[in-house]
Amino acid sequence: DELFPSNGTTPLTNYLDTQYYGEISIGSPAQMFNVVFDTGSANLWVPSSHCSPLYTACFTHNRYDAAISRTHIRNGTGFSIQYASGNVRGFLSEDVVVVGGIPVVQVFAEATALPAIPFIFAKFDGVLGMGYPNTAIDGITPVFDRIMSQHILKEEVFSVYYSKDQTHQPGGELVLGGTDPNYYTGSFNYIGISQAGKWEVNMKGVSVGAEKLFCRDGCKAVIDTGSSYITGPASSVSVLIKTIGATELAEGGFTVNCDLVKSLPSVTFHLGGHGYVLTVEDYILWQSQFGEDICSVTFRGLDVPPPTGPVWILGANFIARYYTEFDRHNNRIGFATAV
Ligand SMILES: CCN(C(=O)c1cnc(C)nc1NCc1ccco1)[C@H]1CCCNC1
């Protein structure tokens, strides 16, 4: 509509089918940042101009400079968010953030300490959490909640499309307030979230071929738009890997002989009465490096400690196959077959 030129949609860039990010602006005049729209967290952080250049990951990314923003409001409260490989630390600031053409006055974190692992590999600058407010650090109201409270969205939902290969333009799309029929076919199947305040559902099992091998008595599955792969408890994933005949790589990934790929079984995730099938095309990353083909498996073992874990995490390669609608009005997640 005329007020917000891009009516709540943000095109996403697809980097190697493993990182999907879109542009937001912070401050006046606008300072641009590439962020992951991450349903696995609920805070917004970007690198800070106060981040020591000794932090390589800060040096190589866009940094927010409060001093040149007319709309900056000082806060200064400390901030720390924990990732598997280290903490992002900094302090809070407030400024105008524009997402999909929609402006909000937002409290966010300026990161002054950014662990090199994993962020030197990030093509994005920061993370915009799309999780529920009760998972937000320092009790900060998340961006999407600030947008909902403006009552400008047709529906209190957001949807995510991730393309399956980098040649497709755009590499993905975030829609605030609805879905984009250009990117899915058929109807949505909905699953209620399993516990208040997390994009998490009860999974009824994981099958390899026709055999239900894992999660036979039910288990938790987080739908995480900010994770590249599908992760599951390490014991289950190692059996899964052996079943498909993959072998472990040094840095923790798994590969299969590309000649065997077409004979590999499908993997099915049973959610809400439906089986969501991933064929080899969906779970094998076929990359040609130095003239030779590497077929890596996009499953990873990850043991998340209780109370969050044990949990399966369905990330980008699941969403690339199943267009996903996150419904805050009905606290449910909808899946449709992605185009
Ligand atoms: C963003 C932090 N995350 C990553 O898994 C992650 C780390 N480091 C790099 C370099 N990339 C990551 N994700 C790339 C990506 C973009 C979209 C899909 O996957 C996770 C942490 C847990 C919550 N959910 C998000």
Side-chain angles (χ1 to χ4, degrees):
D1 46 12
E2 69 296 332
L3 266 186
F4 307 117
S6 58
N7 62 24
T9 65
T10 302
L12 304 178
T13 301
N14 170 356
Y15 174 67
L16 297 182
D17 290 356
T18 54
Q19 295 184 34
Y20 295 80
Y21 51 87
E23 204 169 48
I24 64 167
S25 80
I26 306 180
S28 320
Q31 299 178 42
M32 308 311 286
F33 297 93
N34 287 315
V35 296
V36 170
F37 294 97
D38 174 22
T39 54
S41 67
N43 289 88
L44 169 60
W45 65 261
V46 293
S48 174
S49 59
H50 299 284
C51 182
S52 156
L54 292 176
Y55 284 104
T56 314
C58 266
F59 189 67
T60 56
H61 287 100
N62 294 308
R63 299 175 294 280
Y64 169 77
D65 186 354
I68 59 171
S69 172
R70 296 191 300 273
T71 41
H72 167 71
I73 300 166
R74 214 193 70 72
N75 181 309
T77 306
F79 175 90
S80 174
I81 189 164
Q82 188 157 18
Y83 287 101
S85 47
N87 288 14
V88 170
R89 288 194 311 282
F91 60 90
L92 302 183
S93 283
E94 192 168 356
D95 207 332
V96 175
V97 173
V98 181
V99 186
I102 302 172
V104 288
V105 176
Q106 183 64 39
V107 176
F108 64 98
E110 296 192 43
T112 52
L114 206 49
I117 309 297
F119 296 109
I120 53 171
F121 303 112
K123 302 301 277 185
F124 52 90
D125 301 308
V127 175
L128 195 156
M130 297 294 283
Y132 280 80
N134 57 318
T135 58
I137 289 167
D138 291 342
I140 298 166
T141 303
V143 169
F144 192 67
D145 290 75
R146 305 283 298 178
I147 292 174
M148 285 193 290
S149 56
Q150 295 180 29
H151 304 297
I152 53 173
L153 299 180
K154 288 186 190 68
E155 296 171 277
E156 295 189 327
V157 306
F158 60 91
S159 302
V160 178
Y161 160 68
Y162 283 167
S163 72
K164 287 192 189 67
D165 63 74
Q166 297 101 54
T167 57
H168 194 283
Q169 291 306 330
E173 185 187 71
L174 169 75
V175 178
L176 302 177
T179 60
D180 186 343
N182 291 316
Y183 292 122
Y184 64 87
T185 56
S187 53
F188 280 91
N189 294 310
Y190 291 100
I191 304 135
I193 61 172
S194 54
Q195 57 169 311
K198 285 180 85 169
W199 292 119
E200 178 184 288
V201 296
N202 287 319
M203 183 152 69
K204 303 216 167 82
V206 179
S207 304
V208 180
E211 290 289 303
K212 187 178 282 193
L213 297 182
F214 315 110
C215 175
R216 299 149 68 106
D217 305 328
C219 60
K220 292 188 286 189
V222 168
I223 313 303
D224 184 358
T225 55
S227 288
S228 307
Y229 307 114
I230 289 176
T231 71
S235 56
S236 300
V237 170
S238 68
V239 170
L240 172 65
I241 290 301
K242 285 190 184 61
T243 309
I244 64 175
T247 49
E248 178 124 22
L249 275 183
E251 78 276 0
F254 303 103
T255 58
V256 291
N257 178 338
C258 288
D259 302 339
L260 303 177
V261 164
K262 47 193 164 307
S263 64
L264 293 178
S266 298
V267 179
T268 304
F269 297 89
H270 299 277
L271 303 164
H274 278 84
Y276 294 88
V277 181
L278 293 189
T279 63
V280 279
E281 281 78 43
D282 303 309
Y283 71 78
I284 294 290
L285 211 51
W286 194 311
Q287 288 165 316
S288 299
Q289 278 174 347
F290 324 119
E292 65 170 90
D293 288 353
I294 310 263
C295 289
S296 49
V297 183
T298 59
F299 296 127
R300 291 274 193 286
L302 179 69
D303 289 315
V304 178
T308 311
V311 65
W312 290 74
I313 298 174
L314 304 184
N317 58 331
F318 187 86
I319 292 162
R321 173 71 195 266
Y322 296 103
Y323 184 96
T324 309
E325 178 184 6
F326 297 88
D327 182 343
R328 280 291 302 271
H329 188 66
N330 300 298
N331 294 315
R332 64 183 186 175
I333 296 173
F335 294 116
T337 300
V339 173

